[in-house]
Structures are given as C-alpha cells and as structure tokens.
C-alpha cells in the first residue's frame, strides 16, 4: 500500500495527495513488487533500498547511494497472540532523497500513524532531516511506553503466581521475557546507528537537529537500561516463583498423603471387624458397633494430632 502526504504551505496541515511532488512524504506499507517498481521509477531510489526493510531479520544500519540516504531502524510492535498481547520489533526503512522522504515497513505502525493523525507538533514533510529525527524520537518514546506496559503486566502475573500451580502464568512471563530480548537486541542495534548519524552532513548543517538527535540517543540509552533492569527482574522472578509453585505442589501432595494415612485407619479397623469368624471383639456387646466407631474416631484424632505436630497435616 502506497500513501503520499504533503504539508501544505497555506494551512501547514498534512494532506494526502495523489501524485509524488517535491517535499512530500511517501509511506509504503507491505508493498508488492509492482508498488516498489513504481516508486523506484518515479523517485529514482534503487530497489535494493526500497526492499531493505522487507526482510524481518534486517539489522539497523545506514547506507548511502548517489544522493540518497538509507536509515534502517528497528521499531516496536504489539501483536495479539492466544488472547495475550505480545511485543516484537520490525525494521523500518527511512530513505532521504533530494526532494522527498520515503518510509517502508512490513506492517502499519502506530509511530507513523501518529504523524498522519496530527499527534506530532511542528511536523513538516519538506523538512526531511527534521522529519527523520522526529520519527526516531517517536520510536524511542514507544519503546519506553511498551517497556512500562511489560513491567505492569509482569507485576499482574506475579500476583497470580502467588496462588497458582499452573503453567499459564509462566508461559505469559516467558513471552514477556522473549519480548525484552527482542527489544534489547533492537535498541542496541539502533544505538550504533544513532551514533553514526551524528557524523552525517545533513544533520551537521542545523544545530537544532543535532540537539534533537542527542535527545533521541539519551532516550534510546534509557530504554536500553530499562530493558536490562526489567529483564533481570523478570528472570529472577521466574526462578523464584518456579520454586514457589514447586513448593505449593509439595504442600498439596503432603496434605493428600496425610489424608490417605488417616483414611486408611478406618479401613483397616472396619476390615478386621468385618471378618465372619468367631471371637471378634465386641461381637456380643449390645453397643459394640458404636464402640468400634468411637475407638476408630479416637485413633484417627490421635493420628491427626501426631501429624500436625510433625507439620505433616
């Protein structure tokens, strides 16, 4: 899907347009080969640049060709998986050409949707270098947002684990830990790319752009630190609660074993008194049936008291 936008000089508002013009933004999401060929012909950008972000395993990097600059960064995504929200990252290609800015991604991202919906202030499509930095700042902000969500979800799952003996909560924690690994890898790759961008000539022309890029680097480093902290906490939590769940299971098994011991006493006694042979105690006694029950109950009570003192019941 190809969408073209431009900030109009009269209203300074972002408007969708039908044709490629100078100073416009071309947003490409999950494109077909025909879409890429069309954009390549009209913009002069090579197909290798346009296809770079269509590989899910593409790492964050910077490349140049003629007058075109390619910046690939990993951006965070949320996905629904088995009624649970999971987190992942995908590459986003930002191509700075002589007249336009092109973004290419496999999926529609909230980061770029915020620009379309007017949620980003002081945004102009013709300020291409500033636009790149605004996208990068938005990416770092979303990483921080999703990391806070992961922390809140892990706390909620921990509360359930206090009284749980099932695998559901552990699988959810494992999914969050996997998301943190993806985020950590992507953020570290982005950090290298951001450091390289400080040396780009298009950013050295404007001191304000350098300041924004430094803010982006700070936000990215903060996200890396948060990822490491949450990952360590989550790993320790999973180890601790694995022991808790195992201990809960042991307590239940101990209780069941104690109940089995207590319940076996009446079976033994009633089995002995149920034999059809002469000489059974209390056989000639009028209240012998009640006496056997009383003796059985007394033995069971003594057994329960003994097990409790041994902390086995």
């Amino acid at each position: 899907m190809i969408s073209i936008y431009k900030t109009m000089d009269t209203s300074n508002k972002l408007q969708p347009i039908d044709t490629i013009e100078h100073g416009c933004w071309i947003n490409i999401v999950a494109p077909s080969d025909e879409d890429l060929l069309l954009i390549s012909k009209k913009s002069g950008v090579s197909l290798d640049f346009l296809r770079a972000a269509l590989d899910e395993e593409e790492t964050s990097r910077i490349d140049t060709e003629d007058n075109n600059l390619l910046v690939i960064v990993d951006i965070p995504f949320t996905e629904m998986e088995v009624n649970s929200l999971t987190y992942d990252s995908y590459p986003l290609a930002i191509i700075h050409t002589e007249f336009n800015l092109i973004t290419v991604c496999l999926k529609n991202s909230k980061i770029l949707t915020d620009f379309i919906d007017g949620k980003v202030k002081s945004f102009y499509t013709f300020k291409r270098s500033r636009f790149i930095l605004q996208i990068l700042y938005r990416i770092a902000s979303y990483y921080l947002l999703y990391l806070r969500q992961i922390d809140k979800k892990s706390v909620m799952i921990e509360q359930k684990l206090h009284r749980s003996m099932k695998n559901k909560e552990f699988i959810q924690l494992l999914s969050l830990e996997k998301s943190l690994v993806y985020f950590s890898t992507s953020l570290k790759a982005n950090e290298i790319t951001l450091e390289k961008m400080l040396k780009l000539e298009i950013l050295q022309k404007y001191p304000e752009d350098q300041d924004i890029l430094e803010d982006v680097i700070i936000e990215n480093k903060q996200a890396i630190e948060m990822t490491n902290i949450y990952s360590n906490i989550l790993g320790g939590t999973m180890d601790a609660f694995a022991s808790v769940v195992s201990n809960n299971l042991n307590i239940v098994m101990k209780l069941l074993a104690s109940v089995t011991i207590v319940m076996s006493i009446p079976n033994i006694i009633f089995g002995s008194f149920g034999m059809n042979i002469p000489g059974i105690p209390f056989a000639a006694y009028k209240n012998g049936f009640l006496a056997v029950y009383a003796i059985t109950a007394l033995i069971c009570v003594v057994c329960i008291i003994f097990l409790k003192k041994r902390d086995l019941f």
Side-chain angles (χ1 to χ4, degrees):
M1 182 181 71
I2 302 174
S3 303
I4 306 173
Y5 302 94
K6 186 177 182 181
T7 304
M8 298 302 173
D9 296 334
T10 55
S11 60
N12 283 336
K13 290 184 178 180
L14 189 69
Q15 298 291 339
I17 57 177
D18 297 326
T19 58
I20 297 176
E21 301 177 4
H22 285 194
C24 72
W25 165 34
I26 305 169
N27 184 32
I28 307 173
V29 179
S32 63
D33 291 337
E34 292 77 9
D35 293 335
L36 296 178
L37 283 171
L38 177 65
I39 296 300
S40 179
K41 288 181 180 179
K42 292 193 174 184
S43 64
V45 177
S46 68
L47 285 173
D48 290 338
F49 271 26
L50 294 172
R51 288 174 177 159
L54 301 182
D55 180 7
E56 293 184 10
E57 305 301 325
E58 187 70 32
T59 58
S60 180
R61 60 186 176 88
I62 294 178
D63 198 359
T64 56
E65 185 179 88
D66 299 330
N67 293 324
N68 301 325
L69 169 69
L70 170 66
V71 179
I72 296 180
V73 288
D74 290 325
I75 61 176
F77 275 90
T78 57
E79 298 175 341
M80 287 301 298
E81 189 175 287
V82 194
N83 297 325
S84 178
L85 193 65
T86 60
Y87 302 84
D88 204 345
S89 60
Y90 287 90
L92 168 70
I94 308 172
I95 305 171
H96 182 288
T97 71
E98 188 175 357
F99 303 108
N100 311 108
L101 191 83
I102 304 171
T103 56
V104 186
C105 191
L106 279 170
K107 298 185 177 182
N108 195 23
S109 169
K110 289 183 179 179
I111 296 167
L112 299 180
T113 304
D114 286 349
F115 289 92
I116 299 171
D117 295 339
K119 295 181 180 179
V120 181
K121 297 180 180 180
S122 303
F123 158 57
Y124 307 100
T125 57
F126 53 84
K127 293 184 177 181
R128 297 184 298 282
S129 59
R130 178 70 57 85
F131 186 15
I132 293 175
L133 295 174
Q134 288 173 319
I135 293 174
L136 295 175
Y137 191 87
R138 204 73 181 172
I139 291 170
S141 299
Y142 266 93
Y143 269 117
L144 293 173
L145 173 64
Y146 291 155
L147 285 169
R148 294 187 187 98
Q149 290 180 4
I150 290 174
D151 183 48
K152 289 180 180 178
K153 285 187 68 176
S154 65
V155 171
M156 293 173 61
I157 297 171
E158 287 170 20
Q159 294 173 352
K160 294 180 182 178
L161 275 172
H162 281 286
R163 52 186 182 275
S164 174
M165 289 182 293
K166 298 180 180 179
N167 292 328
K168 179 182 177 182
E169 286 77 15
F170 274 108
I171 292 173
Q172 290 176 340
L173 284 179
L174 183 62
S175 176
L176 293 180
E177 191 174 36
K178 184 170 68 173
S179 299
L180 288 173
V181 172
Y182 290 150
F183 276 14
S184 177
T185 304
S186 299
L187 285 166
K188 289 177 181 178
N190 286 352
E191 183 181 29
I192 297 172
T193 301
L194 293 173
E195 295 289 349
K196 290 180 179 178
M197 289 185 67
L198 284 172
K199 303 175 183 178
L200 293 177
E201 293 183 2
I202 60 171
L203 298 179
Q204 291 178 350
K205 294 179 181 178
Y206 308 102
E208 292 182 1
D209 289 351
Q210 280 192 320
D211 293 339
I212 296 174
L213 180 56
E214 289 174 359
D215 291 340
V216 174
I217 293 173
I218 292 172
E219 291 283 304
N220 194 79
K221 287 183 178 179
Q222 182 182 350
I224 292 174
E225 292 176 2
M226 287 177 62
T227 303
N228 293 334
I229 292 171
Y230 292 159
S231 183
N232 292 335
I233 292 174
L234 199 56
T237 300
M238 290 186 67
D239 293 339
F241 277 103
S243 301
V244 170
V245 171
S246 178
N247 187 54
N248 289 343
L249 183 60
N250 290 337
I251 292 172
V252 172
M253 295 303 295
K254 181 175 68 174
L255 178 62
L256 292 175
S258 300
V259 171
T260 302
I261 293 172
V262 174
M263 292 300 294
S264 65
I265 295 173
N267 289 332
I268 295 172
I269 296 174
F270 294 149
S272 299
F273 277 88
M275 291 187 292
N276 189 18
I277 57 174
I280 296 294
F282 305 109
Y285 184 55
K286 184 175 67 172
N287 295 320
F289 184 77
L290 295 177
V292 172
Y293 259 101
I295 293 171
T296 303
L298 181 61
I299 295 174
C300 288
V301 170
V302 172
C303 183
I304 291 173
I305 293 172
F306 175 78
L307 291 173
K308 280 203 168 186
K309 284 185 177 180
R310 297 283 182 174
D311 196 24
L312 296 173
F313 197 88

